[in-house]
Amino acid sequence: MSSNQVWQSDHYDRNLGFVSELGKDVVRLLNPIKDERIFDLGCGTGDLAHEISQAGAHVTGMDLSEAMIEQAKRKYPQIHFFVGNGEHITVSSTFDAVFSNAALHWMKNPSSVLAGVWKSLNPGGRFVAEFGGKGNVETIVQAIGEVLHEDFGMDAGKLNPWYFPSIAEYSTLLEQQGFRVTYAVHFDRPTKINDNEQGLDHWLRGFADNFFKALSEEERTAVCSKIAVKARNELFHDGSWYADYKRLRVMAIKQR
């Protein structure tokens, strides 16, 4: 959902499918029922919108990336998808639930996001989301920062596109907006990345584009190799890379 991130929808579906697969737990927390109207905020290529629709719910999906929305429309033409900004949600109707998986950490103005979610919900509607929490991909971020500083004198902190709040911070924002928080958990979830030795490179190319925009393709390749060397001891096990994810999962109700 970041305006600076360049999304490659084919690469995402081919090499980063674990995002949607692991998101099925969040769909279970949502517990969609027949004929509910549900808004998928940051829907990506539509896999979880489709999963939700299997319960008989009427799903609308939104993402900032035109490439992701085009892919979603190709895969699931029966679902309504559109391009939109999660920090400035504009919808013509309201919903029984707003759902979001692995998207809110791309939106660095959470108060604007939650104001839009609130306006999009019917009274009594629920907001169910999972995204990166405090400490998410800390080892990867540290390795990126060290390599960019050592090789180019760059401050990676100024390039970081992510918002990873603590459980207290985000619960407070929800309550300030008027939500009643009924569930919140912050947990470790080391996540295996596909394709063995190439896994971390897939992850960096899929999610960390912001850090490397000023680099040539040759420089980017070299930097990614050095990042892998730094992160290998902590994140490479049994022939595969594991991203050091820490996730925040919440449910909140728009009080009547």
Side-chain angles (χ1 to χ4, degrees):
M1 291 291 293
S2 167
S3 58
N4 295 318
Q5 171 73 13
V6 177
W7 292 101
Q8 302 169 26
S9 55
D10 288 333
H11 175 80
Y12 182 89
D13 275 351
R14 185 171 58 251
N15 297 307
L16 303 170
F18 64 84
V19 176
S20 295
E21 188 60 34
L22 292 170
K24 290 180 180 179
D25 280 348
V26 197
V27 175
R28 282 189 277 274
L29 179 62
L30 174 69
N31 191 26
I33 60 178
K34 190 175 186 301
D35 291 330
E36 278 193 312
R37 292 173 46 79
I38 297 177
F39 182 52
D40 185 351
L41 172 58
C43 62
T45 62
D47 290 345
L48 292 179
H50 173 69
E51 185 81 11
I52 293 166
S53 74
Q54 297 304 289
H58 306 291
V59 185
T60 297
M62 185 187 85
D63 201 282
L64 186 60
S65 166
E66 291 185 13
M68 292 291 215
I69 289 296
E70 287 172 5
Q71 184 90 321
K73 287 179 175 178
R74 281 194 295 270
K75 290 163 65 176
Y76 308 112
Q78 75 280 12
I79 297 175
H80 175 53
F81 295 104
F82 71 100
V83 176
N85 189 332
E87 294 184 350
H88 306 283
I89 299 172
T90 53
V91 290
S92 57
S93 58
T94 54
F95 298 86
D96 301 303
V98 174
F99 170 87
S100 186
N101 179 65
L104 296 178
H105 52 250
W106 293 101
M107 306 174 207
K108 299 186 83 169
N109 189 342
S111 295
S112 291
V113 174
L114 292 177
V117 170
W118 178 270
K119 291 177 183 176
S120 302
L121 280 169
N122 295 323
R126 64 201 186 280
F127 175 45
V128 176
E130 182 181 302
F131 59 108
K134 186 175 182 179
N136 192 56
V137 294
E138 200 164 46
T139 301
I140 297 174
V141 170
Q142 182 177 338
I144 291 171
E146 289 176 2
V147 172
L148 289 180
H149 179 72
E150 290 166 4
D151 286 15
F152 301 100
M154 295 168 62
D155 181 357
K158 294 180 179 178
L159 303 172
N160 193 318
W162 300 311
Y163 164 68
F164 297 142
S166 70
I167 193 169
E169 178 184 349
Y170 203 71
S171 295
T172 299
L173 288 173
L174 285 162
E175 289 175 347
Q176 287 174 343
Q177 180 57 53
F179 285 102
R180 180 170 66 94
V181 180
T182 59
Y183 178 85
V185 60
H186 180 244
F187 60 99
D188 292 352
R189 195 192 67 203
T191 300
K192 184 177 180 179
I193 312 170
N194 296 340
D195 210 8
N196 308 108
E197 286 281 354
Q198 298 303 310
L200 184 60
D201 188 66
H202 291 325
W203 193 96
L204 292 169
R205 288 180 180 275
F207 297 130
D209 180 68
N210 263 50
F211 293 102
F212 311 125
K213 285 184 181 294
L215 308 184
S216 68
E217 183 58 33
E218 184 179 357
E219 289 170 334
R220 181 187 294 232
T221 299
V223 162
C224 288
S225 295
K226 292 179 180 179
I227 291 167
V229 170
K230 285 185 178 289
R232 190 176 184 90
N233 281 347
E234 287 194 51
L235 302 182
F236 191 83
H237 310 290
D238 304 320
S240 294
W241 285 97
Y242 289 79
D244 54 326
Y245 279 2
K246 291 179 174 62
R247 309 310 270 182
L248 185 56
R249 187 180 294 176
V250 298
M251 179 187 288
I253 306 299
K254 179 176 180 175
Q255 301 190 82
R256 296 179 185 275

